[in-house]
């Protein structure tokens, strides 16, 4: 239901990996606008995976990580949990499609 929506890139599901299904990540062209729009519709979002290579525990090193800057600026996660009802999912999908 989220395929082919302009401004949204879904991440590839690779056959050699299995998801824990604790969130649903995607890439958003205009992330801040997207977050605000979903919040207004009652849909929570999270920016979960911030780059950690600049953390002091790693000595502040910044290796060349191809695509990391883009990913960090565009990634977002939607909640996924067993308490979501079919109605909740429909509301989330409809909100994203709008």
């Amino acid at each position: 239901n989220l395929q082919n929506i302009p401004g949204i890139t879904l991440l590839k599901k690779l056959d050699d990996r299995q998801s824990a299904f604790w969130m649903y990540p995607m890439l958003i062209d205009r992330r801040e606008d997207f977050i605000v729009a979903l919040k207004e519709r009652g849909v929570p979002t999270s920016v979960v995976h911030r780059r950690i290579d600049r953390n002091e525990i790693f000595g502040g090193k910044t290796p060349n990580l191809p695509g990391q800057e883009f990913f960090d600026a565009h990634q977002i996660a939607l909640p996924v949990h067993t308490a979501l009802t079919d109605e909740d999912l429909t509301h989330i999908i409809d909100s994203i499609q709008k």
Side-chain angles (χ1 to χ4, degrees), residues 19-73:
S19 176
F21 296 111
W22 69 280
M23 65 176 176
Y24 189 82
M26 59 181 71
L27 302 176
I28 306 297
D29 285 351
R30 294 174 35 208
R31 183 172 69 185
E32 296 308 317
D33 294 338
F34 184 80
I35 290 170
V36 169
L38 287 187
K39 184 177 181 180
E40 289 173 352
R41 293 177 175 93
V43 178
T45 59
S46 300
V47 177
V48 178
H49 298 291
R50 299 275 185 185
R51 66 185 296 167
I52 61 169
D53 59 302
R54 294 182 179 161
N55 192 309
E56 291 179 16
I57 197 168
F58 297 109
K61 297 179 180 178
T62 307
N64 182 16
L65 299 173
Q68 184 63 49
E69 292 292 334
F70 179 85
F71 180 82
D72 199 46

Side-chain angles (χ1 to χ4, degrees), residues 20-24 44 78-86 88-89 92:
F21 296 111
W22 69 280
M23 65 176 176
Y24 189 82
L78 298 174
V80 177
H81 51 81
T82 57
L84 287 175
T85 65
D86 288 343
D88 293 331
L89 294 174
I92 292 169

